[in-house]
Amino acid sequence: MQTSYWKLQKNSENKEAMEQAAALIKAGEVVSFPTETVYGLGADGLNPTAVAKIFAAKGRPNDNPLILHIAQKEAIAPLTTGLNANAQKLIEHFWPGPLTLIVNKSSIVPDAVSAGLETVAVRFPSNKFAQDFIRACGCPIAAPSANISGRPSPTNAQDVLEDMQGKIAGILDGGSCGIGLESTVVDTTEPVPTILRPGGITYEMLTEVMGAVEIDPALQGDKNFKPKAPGMKYRHYAPKAPVYLFEGEACQKLPEVIAKALAAGKTVGVLCGRALERELAELVEKQQLQLACWGDSREQLAADLFYLLRDFDRTQPDVILAEGVDESGIGLAIMNRLRKAAGYQLITLQNGSLHLKNSATLPEFMIQ
């Protein structure tokens, strides 16, 4: 398949590009488009045949539901049997923006979108390119992230090309995404709103508006459930090399572990903040150490995380060691993505020794 490509211009309607991309959607094809979070892989959300092409392009399991993207608040009405007070309040405060709501679906929503559930995920993105594209299509756009299933999500069009060229009909290039992590997903069908996936709208922001908000226990890694939202069940965001995520006090052991891994002849990728980067300055001169630093800001880490993980696939280290962050604010979403990227290979410190959760055996270079 020939993949069309349009470079969008800021402060422009991009009328020709939007019309051409929308014509492909109306013909039942798949087009990637930018949002404020990550790039989406879009198709007509009311056309099951078109939606099936999303799953085929990604290699995505069909029991993983999709999000319907709309371009005005009122467009949610036909997609649901009704909105309760919680949903209405969240819409009022956070739309348009990086917040997806789980609502009871209407009969026009295909099972292919909802993975057979009686609920559907809906979002109104704030990105102008996304809004213009959805309006041009004239239908809700079903869209997961525009990557091969399991890989880090794309935050620029070149990463979409890397995964999707020849597999989809078109790509709208709107530059880099500002937030860099997928939207927060909140289930509004229960009495207390529940976060199913953390994102740019944080727990603290939600509780300030809603009061009581719960966090779904499935975020701790239990895979024995039917997912109500995208990204809950399967390993995601994973580069090719194994990732080990150091949490809490275990981060203090990272310089020692890195030195031992280098001494064992391993090429080591390190994802870390500025303080650890300075501590590793002498080791950086070794060619087998590949350092990816996000600086001093967790917001910057959120924006850069998927790009940094993808970059490790280009440099191909033997192993990736990641420094965890505090889970307040955007940190909850960052750690959610890192834990999935690591396949829940989480390193903690117990009685002064490193411990690997969910496994009895540490890698040899971590044994003290």
Side-chain angles (χ1 to χ4, degrees):
M1 174 185 291
Q2 180 68 34
T3 300
S4 299
Y5 187 94
W6 302 273
K7 178 67 176 177
L8 303 179
Q9 303 300 317
K10 291 183 178 180
N11 304 316
S12 170
E13 293 183 359
N14 297 287
K15 185 176 180 181
E16 184 177 356
M18 293 299 178
E19 288 179 348
Q20 292 175 359
L24 291 173
I25 292 292
K26 293 171 184 177
E29 298 297 339
V30 176
V31 174
S32 177
F33 64 101
T35 77
E36 70 274 27
T37 58
V38 299
Y39 272 72
L41 201 62
D44 181 347
L46 303 182
N47 179 345
T49 302
V51 169
K53 293 181 180 179
I54 295 175
F55 288 95
K58 282 181 67 74
R60 180 185 178 100
N62 61 13
D63 66 343
N64 203 358
L66 303 177
I67 295 172
L68 290 179
H69 294 68
I70 57 178
Q72 58 183 16
K73 293 178 181 179
E74 296 75 16
I76 193 175
L79 306 175
T80 179
T81 56
L83 298 173
N84 59 27
N86 285 337
Q88 292 172 346
K89 193 170 184 179
L90 288 166
I91 287 171
E92 177 186 348
H93 281 83
F94 296 111
W95 274 12
L99 178 68
T100 294
L101 300 183
I102 303 293
V103 296
N104 291 312
K105 73 172 186 177
S106 71
S107 59
I108 70 169
V109 177
D111 284 346
V113 169
S114 64
L117 298 171
E118 295 304 313
T119 56
V120 63
V122 185
R123 179 162 106 81
F124 176 12
S126 60
N127 182 282
K128 182 182 183 298
F129 294 142
Q131 293 179 5
D132 290 346
F133 171 60
I134 297 165
R135 290 193 190 99
C137 293
C139 62
I141 298 296
S145 54
N147 55 289
I148 293 172
S149 189
R151 290 205 70 201
S153 300
T155 53
N156 61 70
Q158 291 305 308
D159 286 342
V160 179
L161 268 174
E162 183 178 297
D163 281 9
M164 293 295 159
Q165 189 166 26
K167 297 179 180 179
I168 62 175
I171 297 171
L172 291 164
D173 181 353
S176 296
C177 301
I179 294 175
L181 298 178
E182 297 90 347
S183 61
T184 304
V185 178
V186 175
D187 185 359
T188 68
T189 65
E190 302 294 337
V192 179
T194 301
I195 297 173
L196 304 184
R197 181 179 73 186
I201 302 298
T202 66
Y203 171 81
E204 291 83 354
M205 294 164 67
L206 291 167
T207 55
E208 184 176 349
V209 171
M210 303 302 296
V213 175
E214 295 181 353
I215 298 176
D216 194 283
L219 292 178
Q220 299 303 313
D222 177 14
K223 300 177 178 62
N224 298 315
F225 65 96
K226 191 173 182 64
K228 296 184 72 173
M232 290 187 71
K233 185 173 183 181
Y234 296 96
R235 188 183 182 208
H236 282 265
Y237 323 119
K240 294 174 183 176
V243 178
Y244 294 92
L245 175 59
F246 285 66
E247 298 190 338
E249 294 181 348
C251 293
Q252 300 169 11
K253 297 285 188 178
L254 265 168
E256 177 185 339
V257 170
I258 292 165
K260 288 183 68 175
L262 292 172
K266 293 187 176 296
T267 302
V268 183
V270 180
L271 181 65
C272 65
R274 187 75 68 200
L276 184 56
E277 180 192 36
R278 288 192 289 265
E279 193 171 346
L280 297 174
E282 292 184 5
L283 291 176
V284 171
E285 297 178 5
K286 296 179 180 291
Q287 289 186 340
Q288 64 265 41
L289 180 63
Q290 301 166 8
L291 200 60
C293 178
W294 66 75
D296 300 311
S297 162
R298 288 182 300 160
E299 286 71 23
Q300 190 62 51
L301 172 56
D304 292 345
L305 177 60
F306 292 142
Y307 175 81
L308 294 173
L309 289 174
R310 279 181 170 266
D311 206 38
F312 282 129
D313 281 349
R314 301 178 182 104
T315 57
Q316 298 184 331
D318 297 320
V319 64
I320 298 168
L321 307 178
E323 179 184 16
V325 300
D326 180 84
E327 293 190 62
S328 62
I330 194 67
L332 180 65
I334 291 169
M335 290 298 284
N336 170 259
R337 304 316 193 272
L338 282 173
R339 285 170 181 143
K340 284 181 171 291
Y344 292 92
Q345 295 186 120
L346 312 179
I347 306 297
T348 60
L349 195 65
Q350 296 184 8
N351 299 320
S353 298
L354 295 177
H355 173 76
L356 177 59
K357 285 187 179 179
N358 305 320
S359 174
T361 307
L362 279 169
E364 188 173 342
F365 63 86
M366 292 188 197
I367 297 174
Q368 297 171 292

